[in-house]
Amino acid sequence: MTTAPLAERLDGPLFFPVTAFGPDGAVDLDVFRAHVRAGIDAGAGAVFACCGTGEFHALTPEEFRVCVAAAVQETAGRVPVLAGAGYGTALAVRYARLAEAAGADGLLAMPPYLVVADQPGLLRHYTELAAATALPVIVYQRDNAALTPETAVALARTDGVLGLKDGLGDLDLMQRIVSAVRTEGLDLLCFNGLPTAELTGLAYRGIGVTRYSSAVFCFAPDIALAFHHALATGDDPAAHRLIDAFYRPLVELRAKGRGYAVSLVKAGVRMTGLDVGEVRPPLSEPLPEHVEELAALLARGRAALAQAPGREPR
């Protein structure tokens, strides 16, 4: 059942900030606040704190709580804040309640830890999570949490379930989910949640899924905003320019190292001059040559921006 107030606010680039760590490895709340503040000032439509890009897997419950609270304080109601909740059902509920106490507006339900559950088990997990707080839940479909259209319809009927974020990239499945939910006359906000969602944005738009998460917004909001505008306005030539010059090569670079969907993003944020620190184990930092490739890609992406009609290079 869609929760209308939050559903109406989830518009524009969806910002998934990294979690900042200091030289001693501890959470650096001041830098995290600065990162969140910069994203909001750049035009983020929502802040998803302590999710995949924010290394949810590496945070203690107390670290999670203070980071979510910091994000809520920095946004000051300007945009909604959603927080990750995951692992098994009991821990997911604990994180959900911590997020609610910290003032979050909603939850992103990460895939259950390790186990490959059947559809009734997944439905029970997300139903219990949705019932645990008053916060609306977006289910993150990926890896070991793949839903059938029938389960998606059941979730759309579940009080507290707002939407589905797709990290599988199976367009056939997503089309069947969208169609099944629509056929039943239900509402379920669907999001493209692939690691570099812009690359597939045109394809997802074709099945009616226009909202997406943007890791690039963390370190290149100008490029991310330009692509978002092109996709929203149907300026496909501009979208193609950015895909060819930046997003496709970025995905190919990301594929060169495990964990690069997080560590390469953090490297990109450090390039902006904000020292958010390194990733925590078990992730590793990207190789220096790959960081250099990222810097070159950013230059190419901004050159593509300058090619827009009537726009002068900055």
Side-chain angles (χ1 to χ4, degrees):
M1 179 181 294
T2 297
T3 306
L6 179 58
E8 292 170 2
R9 297 177 69 197
L10 287 174
D11 195 19
L14 304 180
F15 174 35
F16 285 66
V18 303
T19 300
F21 302 125
D24 61 353
V27 169
D28 190 327
L29 276 182
D30 289 339
V31 175
F32 177 70
R33 285 175 178 275
H35 180 43
V36 170
R37 188 164 57 248
I40 297 167
D41 291 345
V47 174
F48 284 69
C50 304
C51 294
T53 309
E55 296 180 78
F56 170 79
H57 68 277
L59 299 175
T60 67
E62 176 59 21
E63 289 172 331
F64 171 88
R65 184 190 65 79
V66 297
C67 284
V68 174
V72 170
Q73 291 165 4
E74 285 300 324
T75 60
R78 288 178 287 173
V79 298
V81 174
L82 294 89
Y87 304 115
T89 307
L91 270 177
V93 166
R94 181 181 178 191
Y95 278 98
R97 289 173 175 162
L98 287 171
E100 184 176 41
D105 299 286
L107 302 169
L108 179 65
M110 313 295 280
Y113 173 70
L114 191 61
V115 296
V116 179
D118 60 13
Q119 294 298 300
L122 288 172
L123 181 58
R124 181 182 173 190
H125 172 75
Y126 295 122
T127 299
E128 290 189 16
L129 177 59
T133 73
L135 299 181
V137 175
I138 296 171
V139 174
Y140 191 4
Q141 168 175 261
R142 62 173 295 170
D143 300 326
N144 59 328
L147 307 179
T148 64
E150 293 77 16
T151 301
V153 167
L155 284 172
R157 290 195 172 105
T158 301
D159 286 342
V161 173
L162 170 69
L164 175 67
K165 180 186 177 189
D166 179 51
L168 290 176
D170 183 339
L171 284 174
D172 177 273
L173 174 60
M174 275 306 296
Q175 177 65 86
R176 288 187 288 118
I177 286 174
V178 168
S179 175
V181 171
R182 182 174 60 232
T183 299
E184 294 298 320
L186 300 168
D187 292 322
L188 189 69
L189 290 185
C190 291
F191 303 77
N192 175 356
L194 291 173
T196 304
E198 288 92 344
L199 185 67
T200 53
L202 294 167
Y204 274 81
R205 187 186 66 186
I207 62 171
V209 178
T210 57
R211 293 176 176 86
Y212 61 90
S213 55
S214 178
V216 169
F217 188 86
C218 285
F219 60 91
D222 52 342
I223 296 175
L225 285 165
F227 185 88
H228 188 273
H229 178 76
L231 190 68
T233 60
D235 188 354
D236 290 2
H240 292 156
R241 275 197 305 274
L242 289 170
I243 287 171
D244 295 347
F246 179 74
Y247 285 107
R248 176 185 54 79
L250 177 63
V251 168
E252 292 168 351
L253 173 59
R254 194 190 68 221
K256 292 182 179 181
R258 289 189 179 275
Y260 274 19
V262 178
S263 62
L264 204 63
V265 172
K266 261 197 157 171
V269 177
R270 292 195 297 269
M271 286 179 191
T272 70
L274 190 64
D275 188 1
V276 291
E278 298 185 348
V279 290
R280 279 180 171 175
L283 297 181
S284 299
E285 285 297 294
L287 296 175
E289 57 265 34
H290 293 161
V291 176
E292 292 177 6
E293 285 186 50
L294 178 60
L297 278 180
L298 285 167
R300 286 177 57 186
R302 291 185 171 117
L305 287 184
Q307 295 173 18
R311 178 166 179 166
E312 295 297 325
R314 297 177 68 179

